[in-house]
PDB file of all heavy atoms in Angstrom:
ATOM      1  N   ARG F  75     -13.489  42.173   3.465  1.00  0.00           N
ATOM      2  CA  ARG F  75     -12.101  42.570   3.707  1.00  0.00           C
ATOM      3  C   ARG F  75     -11.364  41.623   4.641  1.00  0.00           C
ATOM      4  O   ARG F  75     -10.453  42.027   5.352  1.00  0.00           O
ATOM      5  CB  ARG F  75     -12.022  44.012   4.237  1.00  0.00           C
ATOM      6  CG  ARG F  75     -12.762  44.984   3.354  1.00  0.00           C
ATOM      7  CD  ARG F  75     -12.271  46.399   3.507  1.00  0.00           C
ATOM      8  NE  ARG F  75     -12.724  47.208   2.371  1.00  0.00           N
ATOM      9  CZ  ARG F  75     -12.035  47.368   1.254  1.00  0.00           C
ATOM     10  NH1 ARG F  75     -10.851  46.801   1.127  1.00  0.00           N
ATOM     11  NH2 ARG F  75     -12.514  48.095   0.270  1.00  0.00           N
ATOM     12  N   GLN F  76     -11.757  40.381   4.650  1.00  0.00           N
ATOM     13  CA  GLN F  76     -11.041  39.399   5.467  1.00  0.00           C
ATOM     14  C   GLN F  76     -10.294  38.431   4.564  1.00  0.00           C
ATOM     15  O   GLN F  76     -10.604  38.303   3.383  1.00  0.00           O
ATOM     16  CB  GLN F  76     -12.016  38.636   6.350  1.00  0.00           C
ATOM     17  CG  GLN F  76     -12.676  39.508   7.397  1.00  0.00           C
ATOM     18  CD  GLN F  76     -13.401  38.671   8.433  1.00  0.00           C
ATOM     19  OE1 GLN F  76     -12.794  38.102   9.324  1.00  0.00           O
ATOM     20  NE2 GLN F  76     -14.709  38.589   8.287  1.00  0.00           N
ATOM     21  N   GLN F  77      -9.319  37.743   5.174  1.00  0.00           N
ATOM     22  CA  GLN F  77      -8.537  36.767   4.421  1.00  0.00           C
ATOM     23  C   GLN F  77      -8.944  35.353   4.807  1.00  0.00           C
ATOM     24  O   GLN F  77      -9.419  35.119   5.918  1.00  0.00           O
ATOM     25  CB  GLN F  77      -7.049  36.973   4.712  1.00  0.00           C
ATOM     26  CG  GLN F  77      -6.532  38.306   4.178  1.00  0.00           C
ATOM     27  CD  GLN F  77      -5.041  38.464   4.372  1.00  0.00           C
ATOM     28  OE1 GLN F  77      -4.468  37.916   5.312  1.00  0.00           O
ATOM     29  NE2 GLN F  77      -4.414  39.213   3.477  1.00  0.00           N
ATOM     30  N   PHE F  78      -8.763  34.448   3.893  1.00  0.00           N
ATOM     31  CA  PHE F  78      -9.114  33.052   4.200  1.00  0.00           C
ATOM     32  C   PHE F  78      -8.325  32.093   3.320  1.00  0.00           C
ATOM     33  O   PHE F  78      -7.788  32.476   2.281  1.00  0.00           O
ATOM     34  CB  PHE F  78     -10.617  32.814   4.003  1.00  0.00           C
ATOM     35  CG  PHE F  78     -11.094  33.070   2.590  1.00  0.00           C
ATOM     36  CD1 PHE F  78     -11.157  32.025   1.673  1.00  0.00           C
ATOM     37  CD2 PHE F  78     -11.462  34.337   2.177  1.00  0.00           C
ATOM     38  CE1 PHE F  78     -11.586  32.259   0.365  1.00  0.00           C
ATOM     39  CE2 PHE F  78     -11.888  34.574   0.875  1.00  0.00           C
ATOM     40  CZ  PHE F  78     -11.946  33.534  -0.034  1.00  0.00           C
ATOM     41  N   THR F  79      -8.248  30.856   3.779  1.00  0.00           N
ATOM     42  CA  THR F  79      -7.688  29.764   2.976  1.00  0.00           C
ATOM     43  C   THR F  79      -8.767  28.682   2.894  1.00  0.00           C
ATOM     44  O   THR F  79      -9.817  28.801   3.527  1.00  0.00           O
ATOM     45  CB  THR F  79      -6.436  29.134   3.628  1.00  0.00           C
ATOM     46  OG1 THR F  79      -6.833  28.521   4.846  1.00  0.00           O
ATOM     47  CG2 THR F  79      -5.344  30.158   3.901  1.00  0.00           C
ATOM     48  N   VAL F  80      -8.483  27.622   2.177  1.00  0.00           N
ATOM     49  CA  VAL F  80      -9.481  26.574   1.970  1.00  0.00           C
ATOM     50  C   VAL F  80      -9.812  25.819   3.257  1.00  0.00           C
ATOM     51  O   VAL F  80     -10.875  25.220   3.385  1.00  0.00           O
ATOM     52  CB  VAL F  80      -9.028  25.599   0.844  1.00  0.00           C
ATOM     53  CG1 VAL F  80      -7.861  24.728   1.286  1.00  0.00           C
ATOM     54  CG2 VAL F  80     -10.180  24.732   0.351  1.00  0.00           C
ATOM     55  N   THR F  81      -8.920  25.879   4.251  1.00  0.00           N
ATOM     56  CA  THR F  81      -9.191  25.124   5.477  1.00  0.00           C
ATOM     57  C   THR F  81      -9.945  25.935   6.543  1.00  0.00           C
ATOM     58  O   THR F  81     -10.383  25.358   7.541  1.00  0.00           O
ATOM     59  CB  THR F  81      -7.886  24.586   6.116  1.00  0.00           C
ATOM     60  OG1 THR F  81      -7.020  25.682   6.351  1.00  0.00           O
ATOM     61  CG2 THR F  81      -7.215  23.554   5.241  1.00  0.00           C
ATOM     62  N   VAL F  82     -10.119  27.254   6.305  1.00  0.00           N
ATOM     63  CA  VAL F  82     -10.860  28.057   7.287  1.00  0.00           C
ATOM     64  C   VAL F  82     -12.300  27.541   7.386  1.00  0.00           C
ATOM     65  O   VAL F  82     -12.952  27.308   6.379  1.00  0.00           O
ATOM     66  CB  VAL F  82     -10.841  29.560   6.886  1.00  0.00           C
ATOM     67  CG1 VAL F  82     -11.838  30.367   7.716  1.00  0.00           C
ATOM     68  CG2 VAL F  82      -9.440  30.127   7.058  1.00  0.00           C
ATOM     69  N   GLY F  83     -12.750  27.319   8.603  1.00  0.00           N
ATOM     70  CA  GLY F  83     -14.122  26.830   8.805  1.00  0.00           C
ATOM     71  C   GLY F  83     -14.275  25.330   8.599  1.00  0.00           C
ATOM     72  O   GLY F  83     -15.383  24.827   8.526  1.00  0.00           O
ATOM     73  N   THR F  84     -13.153  24.622   8.490  1.00  0.00           N
ATOM     74  CA  THR F  84     -13.235  23.162   8.333  1.00  0.00           C
ATOM     75  C   THR F  84     -12.629  22.482   9.564  1.00  0.00           C
ATOM     76  O   THR F  84     -12.044  23.148  10.419  1.00  0.00           O
ATOM     77  CB  THR F  84     -12.450  22.673   7.096  1.00  0.00           C
ATOM     78  OG1 THR F  84     -11.049  22.755   7.379  1.00  0.00           O
ATOM     79  CG2 THR F  84     -12.769  23.484   5.856  1.00  0.00           C
ATOM     80  N   VAL F  85     -12.728  21.162   9.620  1.00  0.00           N
ATOM     81  CA  VAL F  85     -12.137  20.438  10.756  1.00  0.00           C
ATOM     82  C   VAL F  85     -10.606  20.447  10.709  1.00  0.00           C
ATOM     83  O   VAL F  85      -9.958  20.057  11.671  1.00  0.00           O
ATOM     84  CB  VAL F  85     -12.653  18.976  10.860  1.00  0.00           C
ATOM     85  CG1 VAL F  85     -14.158  18.956  11.077  1.00  0.00           C
ATOM     86  CG2 VAL F  85     -12.282  18.152   9.655  1.00  0.00           C
ATOM     87  N   PHE F  86     -10.031  20.883   9.597  1.00  0.00           N
ATOM     88  CA  PHE F  86      -8.567  20.970   9.494  1.00  0.00           C
ATOM     89  C   PHE F  86      -8.049  22.348   9.915  1.00  0.00           C
ATOM     90  O   PHE F  86      -6.847  22.606   9.870  1.00  0.00           O
ATOM     91  CB  PHE F  86      -8.086  20.720   8.052  1.00  0.00           C
ATOM     92  CG  PHE F  86      -8.427  19.364   7.478  1.00  0.00           C
ATOM     93  CD1 PHE F  86      -8.375  19.154   6.106  1.00  0.00           C
ATOM     94  CD2 PHE F  86      -8.784  18.299   8.298  1.00  0.00           C
ATOM     95  CE1 PHE F  86      -8.679  17.909   5.561  1.00  0.00           C
ATOM     96  CE2 PHE F  86      -9.097  17.055   7.764  1.00  0.00           C
ATOM     97  CZ  PHE F  86      -9.042  16.859   6.389  1.00  0.00           C
ATOM     98  N   GLU F  87      -8.960  23.247  10.295  1.00  0.00           N
ATOM     99  CA  GLU F  87      -8.556  24.622  10.576  1.00  0.00           C
ATOM    100  C   GLU F  87      -7.593  24.711  11.765  1.00  0.00           C
ATOM    101  O   GLU F  87      -7.701  23.935  12.711  1.00  0.00           O
ATOM    102  CB  GLU F  87      -9.806  25.461  10.872  1.00  0.00           C
ATOM    103  CG  GLU F  87      -9.504  26.944  10.928  1.00  0.00           C
ATOM    104  CD  GLU F  87     -10.750  27.793  11.167  1.00  0.00           C
ATOM    105  OE1 GLU F  87     -11.830  27.227  11.399  1.00  0.00           O
ATOM    106  OE2 GLU F  87     -10.618  29.024  11.124  1.00  0.00           O
ATOM    107  N   ARG F  88      -6.696  25.705  11.673  1.00  0.00           N
ATOM    108  CA  ARG F  88      -5.753  25.996  12.759  1.00  0.00           C
ATOM    109  C   ARG F  88      -4.995  24.771  13.243  1.00  0.00           C
ATOM    110  O   ARG F  88      -4.922  24.498  14.430  1.00  0.00           O
ATOM    111  CB  ARG F  88      -6.480  26.638  13.940  1.00  0.00           C
ATOM    112  CG  ARG F  88      -6.601  28.134  13.802  1.00  0.00           C
ATOM    113  CD  ARG F  88      -7.137  28.727  15.073  1.00  0.00           C
ATOM    114  NE  ARG F  88      -8.589  28.670  15.073  1.00  0.00           N
ATOM    115  CZ  ARG F  88      -9.370  29.700  14.758  1.00  0.00           C
ATOM    116  NH1 ARG F  88      -8.855  30.844  14.447  1.00  0.00           N
ATOM    117  NH2 ARG F  88     -10.671  29.590  14.767  1.00  0.00           N
ATOM    118  N   SER F  89      -4.477  24.000  12.289  1.00  0.00           N
ATOM    119  CA  SER F  89      -3.712  22.824  12.669  1.00  0.00           C
ATOM    120  C   SER F  89      -2.309  22.998  12.145  1.00  0.00           C
ATOM    121  O   SER F  89      -2.094  23.523  11.060  1.00  0.00           O
ATOM    122  CB  SER F  89      -4.361  21.585  12.041  1.00  0.00           C
ATOM    123  OG  SER F  89      -3.458  20.514  12.069  1.00  0.00           O
ATOM    124  N   LYS F  90      -1.337  22.563  12.938  1.00  0.00           N
ATOM    125  CA  LYS F  90       0.055  22.662  12.502  1.00  0.00           C
ATOM    126  C   LYS F  90       0.455  21.460  11.665  1.00  0.00           C
ATOM    127  O   LYS F  90       1.538  21.418  11.094  1.00  0.00           O
ATOM    128  CB  LYS F  90       0.972  22.789  13.716  1.00  0.00           C
ATOM    129  CG  LYS F  90       0.953  24.204  14.265  1.00  0.00           C
ATOM    130  CD  LYS F  90       1.779  24.340  15.523  1.00  0.00           C
ATOM    131  CE  LYS F  90       1.587  25.744  16.094  1.00  0.00           C
ATOM    132  NZ  LYS F  90       1.867  25.780  17.524  1.00  0.00           N
ATOM    133  N   ILE F  91      -0.434  20.474  11.615  1.00  0.00           N
ATOM    134  CA  ILE F  91      -0.157  19.277  10.828  1.00  0.00           C
ATOM    135  C   ILE F  91      -0.283  19.638   9.343  1.00  0.00           C
ATOM    136  O   ILE F  91      -1.268  20.236   8.934  1.00  0.00           O
ATOM    137  CB  ILE F  91      -1.159  18.162  11.192  1.00  0.00           C
ATOM    138  CG1 ILE F  91      -1.011  17.819  12.674  1.00  0.00           C
ATOM    139  CG2 ILE F  91      -0.990  16.941  10.310  1.00  0.00           C
ATOM    140  CD1 ILE F  91      -2.250  17.267  13.301  1.00  0.00           C
ATOM    141  N   PRO F  92       0.725  19.302   8.532  1.00  0.00           N
ATOM    142  CA  PRO F  92       0.642  19.661   7.103  1.00  0.00           C
ATOM    143  C   PRO F  92      -0.585  19.032   6.431  1.00  0.00           C
ATOM    144  O   PRO F  92      -1.011  17.936   6.804  1.00  0.00           O
ATOM    145  CB  PRO F  92       1.927  19.097   6.495  1.00  0.00           C
ATOM    146  CG  PRO F  92       2.767  18.629   7.616  1.00  0.00           C
ATOM    147  CD  PRO F  92       1.960  18.584   8.855  1.00  0.00           C
ATOM    148  N   LEU F  93      -1.118  19.754   5.463  1.00  0.00           N
ATOM    149  CA  LEU F  93      -2.359  19.325   4.818  1.00  0.00           C
ATOM    150  C   LEU F  93      -2.244  17.963   4.132  1.00  0.00           C
ATOM    151  O   LEU F  93      -3.199  17.185   4.114  1.00  0.00           O
ATOM    152  CB  LEU F  93      -2.793  20.396   3.812  1.00  0.00           C
ATOM    153  CG  LEU F  93      -4.269  20.494   3.485  1.00  0.00           C
ATOM    154  CD1 LEU F  93      -5.150  20.428   4.722  1.00  0.00           C
ATOM    155  CD2 LEU F  93      -4.544  21.762   2.704  1.00  0.00           C
ATOM    156  N   ASN F  94      -1.044  17.662   3.582  1.00  0.00           N
ATOM    157  CA  ASN F  94      -0.878  16.353   2.935  1.00  0.00           C
ATOM    158  C   ASN F  94      -1.010  15.221   3.955  1.00  0.00           C
ATOM    159  O   ASN F  94      -1.549  14.158   3.649  1.00  0.00           O
ATOM    160  CB  ASN F  94       0.456  16.265   2.183  1.00  0.00           C
ATOM    161  CG  ASN F  94       1.646  16.592   3.047  1.00  0.00           C
ATOM    162  OD1 ASN F  94       1.712  17.695   3.614  1.00  0.00           O
ATOM    163  ND2 ASN F  94       2.577  15.678   3.163  1.00  0.00           N
ATOM    164  N   THR F  95      -0.583  15.464   5.200  1.00  0.00           N
ATOM    165  CA  THR F  95      -0.740  14.451   6.252  1.00  0.00           C
ATOM    166  C   THR F  95      -2.215  14.283   6.619  1.00  0.00           C
ATOM    167  O   THR F  95      -2.678  13.169   6.859  1.00  0.00           O
ATOM    168  CB  THR F  95       0.087  14.847   7.496  1.00  0.00           C
ATOM    169  OG1 THR F  95       1.405  15.161   7.070  1.00  0.00           O
ATOM    170  CG2 THR F  95       0.140  13.729   8.509  1.00  0.00           C
ATOM    171  N   TRP F  96      -2.949  15.386   6.631  1.00  0.00           N
ATOM    172  CA  TRP F  96      -4.398  15.298   6.874  1.00  0.00           C
ATOM    173  C   TRP F  96      -5.069  14.442   5.797  1.00  0.00           C
ATOM    174  O   TRP F  96      -5.922  13.605   6.096  1.00  0.00           O
ATOM    175  CB  TRP F  96      -5.037  16.689   6.869  1.00  0.00           C
ATOM    176  CG  TRP F  96      -4.996  17.401   8.182  1.00  0.00           C
ATOM    177  CD1 TRP F  96      -4.269  18.518   8.478  1.00  0.00           C
ATOM    178  CD2 TRP F  96      -5.713  17.064   9.376  1.00  0.00           C
ATOM    179  NE1 TRP F  96      -4.492  18.888   9.784  1.00  0.00           N
ATOM    180  CE2 TRP F  96      -5.372  18.013  10.358  1.00  0.00           C
ATOM    181  CE3 TRP F  96      -6.614  16.049   9.710  1.00  0.00           C
ATOM    182  CZ2 TRP F  96      -5.892  17.986  11.646  1.00  0.00           C
ATOM    183  CZ3 TRP F  96      -7.133  16.011  10.993  1.00  0.00           C
ATOM    184  CH2 TRP F  96      -6.775  16.977  11.948  1.00  0.00           C
ATOM    185  N   LEU F  97      -4.708  14.682   4.547  1.00  0.00           N
ATOM    186  CA  LEU F  97      -5.330  13.922   3.453  1.00  0.00           C
ATOM    187  C   LEU F  97      -4.974  12.443   3.556  1.00  0.00           C
ATOM    188  O   LEU F  97      -5.824  11.580   3.355  1.00  0.00           O
ATOM    189  CB  LEU F  97      -4.910  14.468   2.076  1.00  0.00           C
ATOM    190  CG  LEU F  97      -5.328  15.890   1.711  1.00  0.00           C
ATOM    191  CD1 LEU F  97      -5.252  16.096   0.202  1.00  0.00           C
ATOM    192  CD2 LEU F  97      -6.716  16.242   2.198  1.00  0.00           C
ATOM    193  N   LEU F  98      -3.730  12.163   3.917  1.00  0.00           N
ATOM    194  CA  LEU F  98      -3.301  10.770   4.058  1.00  0.00           C
ATOM    195  C   LEU F  98      -4.055  10.084   5.206  1.00  0.00           C
ATOM    196  O   LEU F  98      -4.542   8.959   5.067  1.00  0.00           O
ATOM    197  CB  LEU F  98      -1.786  10.696   4.286  1.00  0.00           C
ATOM    198  CG  LEU F  98      -1.185   9.294   4.462  1.00  0.00           C
ATOM    199  CD1 LEU F  98      -1.508   8.398   3.278  1.00  0.00           C
ATOM    200  CD2 LEU F  98       0.334   9.383   4.635  1.00  0.00           C
ATOM    201  N   ALA F  99      -4.186  10.787   6.326  1.00  0.00           N
ATOM    202  CA  ALA F  99      -4.908  10.215   7.468  1.00  0.00           C
ATOM    203  C   ALA F  99      -6.373   9.947   7.102  1.00  0.00           C
ATOM    204  O   ALA F  99      -6.942   8.919   7.474  1.00  0.00           O
ATOM    205  CB  ALA F  99      -4.817  11.156   8.666  1.00  0.00           C
ATOM    206  N   THR F 100      -6.974  10.865   6.360  1.00  0.00           N
ATOM    207  CA  THR F 100      -8.363  10.680   5.923  1.00  0.00           C
ATOM    208  C   THR F 100      -8.467   9.446   5.042  1.00  0.00           C
ATOM    209  O   THR F 100      -9.369   8.618   5.206  1.00  0.00           O
ATOM    210  CB  THR F 100      -8.855  11.930   5.152  1.00  0.00           C
ATOM    211  OG1 THR F 100      -8.578  13.091   5.929  1.00  0.00           O
ATOM    212  CG2 THR F 100     -10.344  11.859   4.867  1.00  0.00           C
ATOM    213  N   PHE F 101      -7.522   9.316   4.113  1.00  0.00           N
ATOM    214  CA  PHE F 101      -7.487   8.149   3.216  1.00  0.00           C
ATOM    215  C   PHE F 101      -7.361   6.856   4.019  1.00  0.00           C
ATOM    216  O   PHE F 101      -8.075   5.884   3.780  1.00  0.00           O
ATOM    217  CB  PHE F 101      -6.320   8.301   2.237  1.00  0.00           C
ATOM    218  CG  PHE F 101      -6.166   7.152   1.278  1.00  0.00           C
ATOM    219  CD1 PHE F 101      -6.884   7.129   0.086  1.00  0.00           C
ATOM    220  CD2 PHE F 101      -5.307   6.094   1.552  1.00  0.00           C
ATOM    221  CE1 PHE F 101      -6.756   6.079  -0.803  1.00  0.00           C
ATOM    222  CE2 PHE F 101      -5.168   5.038   0.672  1.00  0.00           C
ATOM    223  CZ  PHE F 101      -5.893   5.035  -0.515  1.00  0.00           C
ATOM    224  N   LEU F 102      -6.460   6.857   4.992  1.00  0.00           N
ATOM    225  CA  LEU F 102      -6.224   5.640   5.781  1.00  0.00           C
ATOM    226  C   LEU F 102      -7.444   5.255   6.615  1.00  0.00           C
ATOM    227  O   LEU F 102      -7.788   4.084   6.734  1.00  0.00           O
ATOM    228  CB  LEU F 102      -5.005   5.826   6.699  1.00  0.00           C
ATOM    229  CG  LEU F 102      -3.649   5.908   5.994  1.00  0.00           C
ATOM    230  CD1 LEU F 102      -2.548   6.257   6.993  1.00  0.00           C
ATOM    231  CD2 LEU F 102      -3.318   4.600   5.280  1.00  0.00           C
ATOM    232  N   LEU F 103      -8.110   6.259   7.177  1.00  0.00           N
ATOM    233  CA  LEU F 103      -9.277   5.978   8.011  1.00  0.00           C
ATOM    234  C   LEU F 103     -10.467   5.510   7.169  1.00  0.00           C
ATOM    235  O   LEU F 103     -11.293   4.725   7.631  1.00  0.00           O
ATOM    236  CB  LEU F 103      -9.663   7.225   8.807  1.00  0.00           C
ATOM    237  CG  LEU F 103     -10.637   7.009   9.963  1.00  0.00           C
ATOM    238  CD1 LEU F 103      -9.938   6.310  11.120  1.00  0.00           C
ATOM    239  CD2 LEU F 103     -11.235   8.317  10.437  1.00  0.00           C
ATOM    240  N   CYS F 104     -10.532   5.978   5.941  1.00  0.00           N
ATOM    241  CA  CYS F 104     -11.684   5.663   5.095  1.00  0.00           C
ATOM    242  C   CYS F 104     -11.524   4.359   4.320  1.00  0.00           C
ATOM    243  O   CYS F 104     -12.499   3.853   3.774  1.00  0.00           O
ATOM    244  CB  CYS F 104     -11.927   6.790   4.085  1.00  0.00           C
ATOM    245  SG  CYS F 104     -12.553   8.276   4.848  1.00  0.00           S
TER     246      CYS F 104
END
Side-chain angles (χ1 to χ4, degrees):
R75 307 203 163 269
Q76 294 192 78
Q77 294 184 331
F78 60 93
T79 65
V80 71
T81 56
V82 168
T84 73
V85 299
F86 299 163
E87 190 178 6
R88 274 188 275 261
S89 163
K90 282 176 186 156
I91 299 153
L93 206 45
N94 54 302
T95 310
W96 274 112
L97 296 199
L98 180 56
T100 309
F101 179 86
L102 291 173
L103 194 73
C104 289

